[in-house]
Structures are given as C-alpha cells and as structure tokens.
C-alpha cells in the first residue's frame, strides 16, 4: 500500500498520515534540515477552522461485544502477536500511560468509539510493543498539528504484522457518503490512528492532536490525551521539527522516545 497524500480542501496544505504502509518508501525524504520548524505559510496563518465541520456523534454500540478481524500483513517491525478477535467489549474506557523522554503522556481509550482499535492498542501495549520506540513525525502548521508515534522502526512504514479496518468516525457515515471526503476538525486532545488510505491499513501508528486539526473523517478516533500529556506534546512542538518529510513536518527537534506504555 502506497502512502496517500491528502489535500485539505480549500486550504492548500498537503498532509500525509501514513500507517503501516506496504511501500518501502518511508515518506521521509529530506526537503531541508532546518534547526527549527519551517516558517508557517500565509495560508496556514489565516486558516479559519470554523469553515470546517465537526466530528459526528459517536454511534451507540449495537451490542456489548463485537468480533474484530486482524489479518496478517507485511512482517512486523517488532515481534508481536495479534490480539484475540472475538468477544471484544464495546463498553468502558482504558487508561494507558506513556512514559516518554519528553515527559508523561496519559491516554484514555474509549471502547465505544473504536472497540477493535482499543483492543489492538491495549494488546500491543501489554506485549511491550511500544516500549523504547520513537515518535517519528511532528507537524506544526495550523490545520495539522500532530505528533505521530507507534512505528518501532522510526521510519514511518513499520507496523505490527497485521492490519484492521477504520472505525469511528468513518463508521458514523453511510458507505460512499460524499461527506467522507469532506475535512472535519479533529479537536485538540484527540488520539487517532494513522493509515495509508487503503482499507485495512490501520496497524500500530497513531497520532496525538495537540491543536485542532483538519482531516477527512477517515482516521479512527479512539481516545483522548490528558492535559499533562498535552503539555508534554506542546513543549515538544514548540521546538519544531527538522523539515525532513516531503509531505510536511519531520522528526521533532526534541526527540520523543516512548520508554514504556503501561495499561491501567
């Protein structure tokens, strides 16, 4: 699966959020190595987020459990086994605490939003998959302000060796609804999955939204970030990125290494 560029309609900001891509292209070819983030464009500075829609309400789960599917894909970036796929709960939340080199980042994962995603993330955390792994991409322009993590290889193409389908907010729309192509605001504090734009390409890469960001509703929202965690990410963002990724952003100038990811 090739990485897919997404043009935020009417904004002129080319953005890329790739998950477990099957392409050998890391998407990180250098476009410059500035010591700070690239200057924000005039278009980004004038971006009016009120022009964009909001995320739809989370659908009420139709059953207390669901069955998920985690088919095998390319070899994993770090040895791990796929989670159990049957009888996955759709109720309640799960706390995951990331200890990072930049500071603590607390996450609250919501099973009602995305039970299969939460099930996978918790399984990976419990197996130590995220331990000693980098957050490989930071974007700082208004309209896309996220820190992306979850690839043990650190190049942006690694995954857990399996994939799965996108959940909320995509599942809140009818199939082929034109609204799926219309950008909406992913609010500050959102935790969402990265993907390559192809069906079943969710894996282990996720992004932390530290300021309201504009994306089509094709990236699974599965939780929220603590205020302490947002302070950690904002501190990293203030130092900018190295501009090394052609689609925007680059490695954070302040490296972020997830030391441990603990459930509960």
């Amino acid at each position: 699966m090739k990485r897919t560029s997404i043009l935020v309609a009417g904004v002129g900001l080319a953005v890329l959020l790739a998950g477990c891509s099957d392409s050998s292209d890391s998407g990180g070819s250098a476009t410059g190595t500035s010591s700070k983030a690239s200057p924000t464009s005039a278009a980004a500075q004038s971006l009016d987020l009120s022009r964009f829609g909001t995320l739809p309400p989370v659908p009420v789960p139709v059953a207390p459990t669901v069955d998920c599917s985690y088919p095998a894909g390319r070899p994993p970036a770090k040895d791990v086994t796929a989670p159990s796929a049957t009888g996955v709960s759709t109720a309640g939340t799960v706390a995951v605490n990331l200890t990072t080199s930049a500071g603590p980042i607390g996450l609250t994962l919501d099973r009602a939003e995305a039970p299969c995603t939460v099930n996978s993330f918790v399984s990976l955390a419990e197996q130590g998959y995220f331990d000693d792994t980098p957050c490989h991409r930071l974007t700082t322009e208004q309209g896309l302000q996220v820190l992306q993590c979850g690839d043990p290889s650190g190049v942006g193409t690694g995954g857990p060796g399996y994939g799965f389908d996108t959940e909320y907010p995509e599942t809140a729309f009818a199939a082929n609804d034109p609204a799926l192509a219309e950008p909406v605001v992913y609010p500050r504090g959102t935790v969402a999955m990265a993907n390559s734009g192809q069906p079943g390409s969710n894996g282990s890469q996720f992004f932390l939204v530290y300021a309201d960001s504009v994306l089509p509703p094709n990236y699974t929202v599965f939780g929220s970030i603590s205020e302490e965690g947002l302070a950690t990410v904002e501190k990293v963002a203030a130092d900018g990125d190295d501009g090394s990724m052609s689609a925007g952003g680059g490695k954070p100038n302040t490296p972020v290494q997830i030391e441990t990811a603990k459930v509960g």
Side-chain angles (χ1 to χ4, degrees):
M1 290 171 286
K2 300 294 288 186
R3 290 171 171 270
T4 303
S5 292
I6 299 167
L7 187 65
V8 177
V11 181
L13 296 177
V15 302
L16 180 70
L17 285 167
C20 48
S21 170
D22 285 337
S23 168
S24 60
D25 175 16
S26 69
S29 56
T31 57
T33 54
S34 58
S35 60
K36 294 291 181 181
S38 301
T40 304
S41 68
Q45 289 176 340
S46 60
L47 178 61
D48 179 6
L49 293 177
S50 68
R51 294 163 46 200
F52 303 98
T54 58
L55 290 171
V58 179
V60 176
V62 297
T65 63
V66 296
D67 291 341
C68 304
S69 179
Y70 304 106
R74 63 180 296 176
K78 188 175 181 179
D79 286 340
V80 72
T81 59
S84 173
T86 59
V88 174
S89 176
T90 61
T93 60
V94 183
V96 177
N97 296 302
L98 306 181
T99 301
T100 82
S101 57
I105 301 175
L107 309 178
T108 300
L109 311 186
D110 189 342
R111 294 191 184 100
E113 290 179 329
C116 296
T117 302
V118 173
N119 185 51
S120 173
F121 196 95
V122 168
S123 172
L124 292 173
E126 289 177 337
Q127 294 181 71
Y129 180 88
F130 297 116
D131 295 355
D132 194 28
T133 64
C135 293
H136 62 276
R137 184 187 181 204
L138 174 71
T139 61
T140 57
E141 285 207 353
Q142 186 182 9
L144 187 67
Q145 298 185 55
V146 305
L147 178 67
Q148 189 168 334
C149 317
D151 174 11
S153 72
V155 298
T157 59
Y162 61 85
F164 55 96
D165 290 334
T166 301
E167 296 181 281
Y168 170 82
E170 188 171 274
T171 51
F173 297 86
N176 301 317
D177 188 331
L180 286 167
E182 295 297 322
V184 296
V185 175
Y186 278 57
R188 173 183 182 270
T190 297
V191 186
M193 290 298 294
N195 66 65
S196 70
Q198 298 298 313
S201 62
N202 293 278
S204 59
Q205 291 188 46
F206 62 97
F207 58 96
L208 307 173
V209 182
Y210 64 89
D212 290 355
S213 295
V214 181
L215 290 164
N218 311 126
Y219 299 95
T220 298
V221 171
F222 66 106
S224 59
I225 311 165
S226 68
E227 284 299 323
E228 182 182 42
L230 281 166
T232 295
V233 179
E234 288 165 350
K235 179 177 62 177
V236 171
D239 252 355
D241 62 80
D242 67 4
S244 63
M245 296 186 180
S246 58
K251 293 181 179 180
N253 288 326
T254 297
V256 183
Q257 191 81 358
I258 297 175
E259 296 166 351
T260 61
K262 299 295 185 184
V263 177

